Amino acid sequence: MPVCLGASLASALLQAAATSEIDGIEAAAELEQGEVVASVPLSLLITQDSALAEDPQLSGLSGTNLMALFLLRQNASGAAYQPYVAKLPRQLDQTHRWSDEELSMLQASDLVAHSRSRKRAVERHHEALPSFVRPSSPEALGWGLGQVWARSHTVDVGSGPEGALAPLLDMFNHALRPNVR
């Protein structure tokens, strides 16, 4: 299993799944139930604590905002997680980023109200952030929040469950009902 910074991947069992729209990892062979195909040590997870240790200026922010701003600030050259952030998609097809015209196509769906609520929340959060950490636009903050909403997992980090980003593991697409035999 190749190892990079403590993360490992069973490369004989997995392959890159890259298209013009997504980057990901998929099975290259049948997997047996219980087979370990990837491993990421807790030290590589991006948690609120690790984000604050890396960027103390984010102290005092709420969990989701903290994680979103951390990702935005890690896009700088030389930042610890810059290689990971550089692989994240720049365009997110999440409904909080849709125009009113696009949302109107959903007609009577509850998703319209939820999406508009999320969009307003992004704008409110952007305005409420201290100026020294506020991104240049609500759209930039929306990108970071969208990454956190889509990619974070709840993991037990020793002190209890916490939301975390798991570089490498978030490249795996999954089915709610695994088809492992």
Side-chain angles (χ1 to χ4, degrees), residues 35-54:
E35 190 166 8
V36 175
V37 295
S39 173
V40 175
L42 291 177
S43 62
L44 287 184
L45 296 181
I46 302 172
T47 65
Q48 291 177 45
D49 287 343
S50 67
L52 284 172
E54 186 73 28

Side-chain angles (χ1 to χ4, degrees), residues 25-26 37 46 63 70 78 81 89-90 98 102 107-108 116 119 125-126 141 145 158 170 176:
I25 298 171
E26 64 186 10
V37 295
I46 302 172
F70 180 76
Y81 287 93
R90 294 291 146 227
W98 288 12
E102 290 168 314
Q107 297 174 351
R116 287 188 173 134
K119 190 174 197 170
H125 286 259
H126 183 263
L141 180 61
L145 289 169
D170 67 0
L176 293 177

